[in-house]
Amino acid sequence: MIDEKIRYDGEAPIYPYNEEDTSARNRHVTGERDVFGNEENHQIKYKTLSWQLVAVLMIAEIVSNGMLSLPSSGGVVGLVPNVILIVFLGIFGTFTAYLLVQFKLNHPEVHNMGDAGYILFGVVGREVLSAGTVIFAVFATGGQLLAGQIALGVLSDSKLCLMLYTGIFAIPTLIFSFPRTLDGLSWLCIPSVLSILIAGIVGMIGAGINPLEGRTTSLFLQPTFVNAFVSVTNPVFAYAGHFMFFILISEMRNPRDAMKAAYTLQGFATAYYTVFAIVTHWYLGDGVVSPSFSSLPTVWAKAAYGIAIPNFLIAGSLYAHTAAKLIFLRLFRNSNHLHSHTIVGWGTWTILILIMNAASFVLAVGVPIFSYLIGIAASLFASWYTYGIAGAFWIHDSYHLSGQGSWAWRRKPVMFVLSVLTFVAGGFICVAGTYVIVKLIIDAYDSGSVPPPFQC
């Protein structure tokens, strides 16, 4: 029997919880124990991260090769609209991060988007959002492998087969994704963040010293809807990392500090993206390509790509780790294999890590339109994880945890409207983004520009 009386502990309402009750009614209450429980006497401890290290993990994961497409967006819509969009999405992402963090505090048993989906939509929600998380993480790992392929190709003047570059890059990505806890990856993320920061600075200096002759840098442009929305998806997906927030917060010593990490991430990302997009687009003009480092003179391109490699590696490792961690928790939550050095636990973890990295590699080298598929995966899942579903979280919790039902929405009309608009925005990005990417795939096949699979 679930007690209907609400008890408050600090900011987050806590309800008595019956783990054996899987009814729809019980999905709307919060668990007394968090994902990993009391780890005092366990061999493997997960809840070790400070908010500072979580901020570093967030930056290493989100601020990566996605930013290299931002200047090219300015070449489609114009410098001013591109900057406005980057800043707006940074603010929007901060708002949705707040909603995600509050939902996690209200539901400490939530480890990933699949767990959150169960609370909102039951078994179907859990399976769909879990599958989406794994799929997107695998595709994102493959995206980092392609970034590494490009970097190694530039550094070696493309003397080797592109598929071989991807394989070379996949090996350290696999190794770095192997630690069972995020704490084991967090210290690697410090040089990762430094590498992408310095690489961006080197890229901006290279562009400033070597501006493209005869360039045109337009403040405003009037593209077609498809071209415009493709350029819009670049900054949208550059912020697309919120799907990892629940997993990161679950391994914090004090989850109530999570917003400090989120504020650090969004402040850094928004400021850095804005400056990088303005400077690079201004000096390289509307014709700047994606990734933008490839528009630099050879020496500067090699320097920027070479410095950025650690970030590409660690970001890919984080994504592969995330995909494996979701399934691992699904298999062994509340079991001895989660917190102990057992053969079954380590054997399963090893297999999962190998599968996630192998799938990313095969997709990256074997699917000619893989870069387009990354866009589709981002449209289908990242649009919801980073933006849309956060609105549903607030609507759900304000209804079920307040004890006031729909009256809670009327008491906070601004938050209710913002949450509804957030959900609608996620739906629009999902539908429109998928449409334009599919159209680009059709156009690529019609023009004969799609190469064969496993091409060297």
Side-chain angles (χ1 to χ4, degrees):
M1 180 71 180
I2 300 174
D3 188 356
E4 297 291 346
K5 185 177 180 181
I6 301 175
R7 176 166 63 83
Y8 287 93
D9 178 13
E11 297 178 0
I14 297 178
Y15 284 70
Y17 178 67
N18 179 3
E19 290 186 348
E20 296 180 354
D21 183 358
T22 58
S23 65
R25 183 187 185 198
N26 196 48
R27 295 201 310 268
H28 302 145
V29 302
T30 189
E32 290 258 354
R33 66 187 297 275
D34 64 18
V35 176
F36 299 107
N38 187 343
E39 296 186 313
E40 184 176 354
N41 298 316
H42 289 306
Q43 293 176 331
I44 301 175
K45 295 179 172 62
Y46 294 88
K47 298 185 297 182
T48 58
L49 293 173
S50 65
W51 72 263
Q52 291 91 342
L53 282 179
V54 170
V56 171
L57 281 161
M58 289 179 172
I59 293 172
E61 174 236 339
I62 291 179
V63 183
S64 188
N65 64 335
M67 79 170 194
L68 302 182
S69 65
L70 297 178
S72 65
S73 294
V76 176
V77 298
L79 179 63
V80 174
N82 193 36
V83 170
I84 292 174
L85 187 63
I86 291 171
V87 174
F88 170 76
L89 289 174
I91 296 171
F92 191 16
T94 305
F95 173 69
T96 58
Y98 171 79
L99 298 182
L100 291 174
V101 170
Q102 294 306 307
F103 187 82
K104 169 62 178 175
L105 294 179
N106 288 338
H107 304 273
E109 72 277 13
V110 167
H111 173 260
N112 51 67
M113 282 291 176
D115 293 341
Y118 178 72
I119 292 174
L120 264 62
F121 309 115
V123 174
V124 174
R126 178 180 62 195
E127 302 306 327
V128 170
L129 295 188
S130 293
T133 300
V134 172
I135 292 170
F136 182 66
V138 168
F139 276 56
T141 304
Q144 296 297 336
L145 294 182
L146 289 182
Q149 176 199 87
I150 294 171
L152 293 179
V154 170
L155 289 171
S156 65
D157 296 320
S158 299
K159 293 179 180 178
L160 298 177
C161 171
L162 292 178
M163 189 166 62
L164 183 58
Y165 287 131
T166 311
I168 293 171
F169 204 79
I171 294 172
T173 301
L174 167 67
I175 294 171
F176 291 145
S177 62
F178 194 74
R180 282 266 290 272
T181 67
L182 284 169
D183 184 63
L185 276 169
S186 61
W187 297 103
L188 292 173
C189 288
I190 295 175
S192 170
V193 171
L194 290 175
S195 76
I196 197 63
L197 174 62
I198 296 172
I201 293 173
V202 169
M204 288 186 284
I205 292 174
I209 293 177
N210 303 278
L212 192 65
E213 293 185 9
R215 71 188 183 280
T216 299
T217 302
S218 304
L219 298 182
F220 296 92
L221 290 168
Q222 295 181 329
T224 65
F225 172 78
V226 171
N227 290 336
F229 202 84
V230 169
S231 68
V232 167
T233 60
N234 289 333
V236 167
F237 300 149
Y239 287 106
H242 288 37
F243 77 106
M244 282 184 61
F245 278 16
F246 291 149
I247 294 175
L248 291 168
I249 297 171
S250 294
E251 298 193 28
M252 289 183 69
R253 288 198 299 266
N254 183 9
R256 291 189 180 280
D257 287 337
M259 273 312 298
K260 296 178 183 178
Y263 285 138
T264 302
L265 160 70
Q266 294 299 134
F268 176 85
T270 304
Y272 188 47
Y273 285 169
T274 302
V275 173
F276 182 79
I278 291 174
V279 173
T280 305
H281 181 200
W282 183 261
Y283 286 107
L284 297 182
D286 294 342
V288 59
V289 301
S290 176
S292 60
F293 288 165
S294 295
S295 290
L296 298 171
T298 302
V299 172
W300 287 96
K302 287 184 176 182
Y305 275 124
I307 296 170
I309 281 179
N311 177 266
F312 299 160
L313 281 174
I314 300 305
S317 299
L318 277 170
Y319 292 132
H321 178 100
T322 297
K325 181 68 72 65
L326 185 150
I327 298 175
F328 190 78
L329 262 290
R330 182 75 173 270
L331 293 174
F332 296 124
R333 187 182 290 211
N334 300 325
S335 78
N336 184 51
H337 303 298
L338 181 63
H339 286 101
S340 301
H341 295 294
T342 65
I343 294 176
V344 172
W346 275 108
T348 304
W349 177 253
T350 301
I351 292 172
L352 288 172
I353 288 294
L354 289 172
I355 289 174
M356 299 309 161
N357 282 278
S360 301
F361 172 74
V362 171
L363 287 168
V365 301
V367 180
I369 59 169
F370 181 64
S371 59
Y372 293 112
L373 295 184
I374 294 174
I376 291 179
S379 298
L380 291 175
F381 302 116
S383 59
W384 291 109
Y385 297 154
T386 302
Y387 301 107
I389 202 169
F393 289 157
W394 187 90
I395 292 170
H396 172 276
D397 276 4
S398 63
Y399 183 94
H400 291 284
L401 301 189
S402 67
Q404 300 173 334
S406 61
W407 179 249
W409 301 339
R410 284 173 279 180
R411 288 189 61 189
K412 295 184 176 181
V414 175
M415 278 298 297
F416 177 71
V417 171
L418 287 176
S419 297
V420 171
L421 291 177
T422 297
F423 190 81
V424 172
F428 174 74
I429 295 171
C430 175
V431 174
T434 303
Y435 167 76
V436 297
I437 299 298
V438 169
K439 189 176 188 308
L440 289 177
I441 293 174
I442 295 172
D443 292 343
Y445 273 106
D446 289 343
S447 65
S449 60
V450 178
F454 299 102
Q455 184 180 37
C456 186

